[in-house]
């Protein structure tokens, strides 16, 4: 029997050093699985594996020690519990995310919602090399957005209403970057220092600071044999329509320009950051 290991890898079955044995990577979006899915995963790990699972560094779940002859039955049993195999190799991987504003008081965006939409839009897309999305809810950056090929960080587009301000100075104390100055009955914000964290909005006792959720995007990050910090080429993005237009442009730039087995950061270095910036600015401006 001829075994198509490439097809198995594309479907989440990674070869172990033990003959005809695989670790199965599952599709986990934003580190979230239901209790029903957990039951199915446990049952498969107990019956077809060694009774344990591995949690990967990117919020994934792997079931080790799946035998070649059991692969079809494993997929059937997992599907009954709503569990889908993940992917490996040169394609868009599972999207990582924190919980963001759904649960976290610091969250500026619903990070899991964005992760689910990114996953629905891009998961498994064939590319010259792997491509990773990561979403984090705020400037605390728990998911380390800049380590991803395309990182999304929640932020706030802020506005100050003088009429409702009592000039208590709470916003000045809350700002970690020293971007806010209170002087002579006026508040000014240094745009060079402001990182759109939104702490002034959450701290204000009179709601004179108003905030609208936005998306801070970083491009070209990677963390592995080569380490590159993703770069922010755009202002904060004000809406999801623009965010996904920028994401489409970035991933198409990679698909159109990358050499085989070349990561996004290396492609940008070779083709030119100015070329990518031109493209994503066009997408940002509509």
């Amino acid at each position: 029997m001829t075994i198509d290991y490439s097809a198995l890898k594309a479907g989440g079955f990674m070869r172990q050093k033990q003959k005809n044995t695989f670790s199965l990577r599952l599709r986990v979006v934003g580190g979230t699985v239901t209790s029903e899915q957990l039951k199915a995963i446990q049952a498969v790990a107990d019956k077809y594996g060694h009774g344990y699972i591995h949690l990967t560094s990117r919020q994934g779940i792997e079931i080790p020690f799946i035998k070649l002859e059991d692969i079809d039955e494993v997929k059937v049993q997992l599907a009954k519990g709503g569990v889908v195999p993940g992917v490996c190799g040169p394609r868009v991987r599972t999207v990582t995310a924190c919980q963001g504003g759904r649960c976290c008081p610091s969250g500026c965006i619903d990070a899991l919602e964005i992760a689910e939409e990114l996953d629905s839009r891009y998961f498994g897309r064939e590319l010259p090399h792997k491509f990773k999305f990561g979403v984090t809810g705020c400037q605390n950056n728990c998911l380390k957005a800049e380590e991803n090929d395309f990182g999304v960080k929640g932020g706030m587009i802020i506005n100050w209403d003088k009429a409702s301000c009592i000039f208590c100075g709470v916003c000045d104390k809350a700002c970690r970057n020293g971007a806010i100055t209170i002087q002579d009955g006026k508040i000014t914000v240094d745009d060079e220092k402001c990182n759109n964290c939104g702490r002034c909005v959450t701290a204000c006792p009179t709601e004179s600071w108003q905030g609208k959720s936005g998306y801070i995007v970083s491009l070209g990050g990677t963390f592995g044999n080569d380490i590159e910090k993703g770069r922010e080429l755009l202002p904060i993005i004000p809406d999801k329509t623009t965010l996904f237009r920028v994401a489409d442009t970035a991933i198409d730039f990679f698909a159109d320009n990358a050499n085989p087995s070349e990561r996004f950061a290396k492609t940008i270095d070779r083709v030119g950051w100015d070329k990518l910036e031109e493209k994503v600015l066009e997408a940002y401006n509509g």
Side-chain angles (χ1 to χ4, degrees), residues 58 143-149 218 221-223 228 230 263:
R58 287 186 57 82
L143 257 292
K144 303 176 181 62
E146 292 85 359
E147 290 183 2
N148 294 273
D149 299 281
S218 57
T222 181
F223 200 84
E228 299 283 350
R263 289 296 298 271

Side-chain angles (χ1 to χ4, degrees), residues 98-111 137-138 140 142 202:
C98 68
Q99 297 190 82
R102 182 174 298 194
C103 301
C104 178
S106 299
C108 297
I109 60 171
D110 187 334
C138 68
N140 289 334
C142 296
T202 55

Side-chain angles (χ1 to χ4, degrees), residues 15-76:
R15 292 173 70 178
Q16 293 184 192
K17 64 181 183 180
Q18 293 84 5
K19 186 177 180 180
N20 291 337
T21 306
F22 300 82
S23 284
L24 169 57
R25 180 171 294 170
L26 303 178
R27 184 177 182 177
V28 177
V29 184
T32 300
V33 293
T34 67
S35 56
E36 195 65 28
Q37 289 173 320
L38 285 173
K39 292 176 186 176
I41 293 167
Q42 177 192 2
V44 167
D46 286 343
K47 184 173 181 179
Y48 300 100
H50 281 189
Y52 74 94
I53 57 100
H54 171 70
L55 300 178
T56 75
S57 61
R58 287 186 57 82
Q59 302 182 318
I61 294 176
E62 293 175 3
I63 308 176
F65 292 99
I66 301 296
K67 294 298 183 182
L68 177 65
E69 60 268 23
D70 293 328
I71 284 177
D72 290 339
E73 182 61 25
V74 163
K75 289 193 284 189
V76 169

Side-chain angles (χ1 to χ4, degrees), residues 170-231:
V170 171
C171 57
D172 183 20
K173 292 181 175 66
C175 181
R176 293 173 174 174
N177 289 357
I180 295 174
T181 301
I182 304 175
Q183 189 174 12
D184 300 327
K186 185 179 179 181
I187 291 180
T188 57
V189 177
D190 186 336
D191 292 335
E192 293 295 319
K193 293 181 179 179
C194 178
N195 66 353
N196 300 101
C197 70
R199 286 173 61 84
C200 54
V201 176
T202 55
C204 182
T206 64
E207 297 184 349
S208 64
W209 285 101
Q210 299 294 319
K212 178 182 181 296
S213 294
Y215 311 96
I216 301 164
V217 166
S218 57
L219 298 159
T222 181
F223 200 84
N225 290 319
D226 295 304
I227 298 175
E228 299 283 350
K229 181 181 178 182
R231 301 186 195 180

Side-chain angles (χ1 to χ4, degrees), residues 247-285:
D248 285 344
T249 299
I251 205 167
D252 286 346
F253 183 93
F254 181 49
D256 293 341
N257 292 284
N259 294 324
S261 301
E262 180 178 64
R263 289 296 298 271
F264 190 32
K266 296 298 184 185
T267 301
I268 306 169
D269 286 340
R270 178 173 52 78
V271 177
W273 282 89
D274 57 328
K275 299 291 194 303
L276 175 63
E277 184 172 17
E278 179 183 348
K279 292 290 186 182
V280 294
L281 274 171
E282 287 177 3
Y284 177 87
N285 291 320

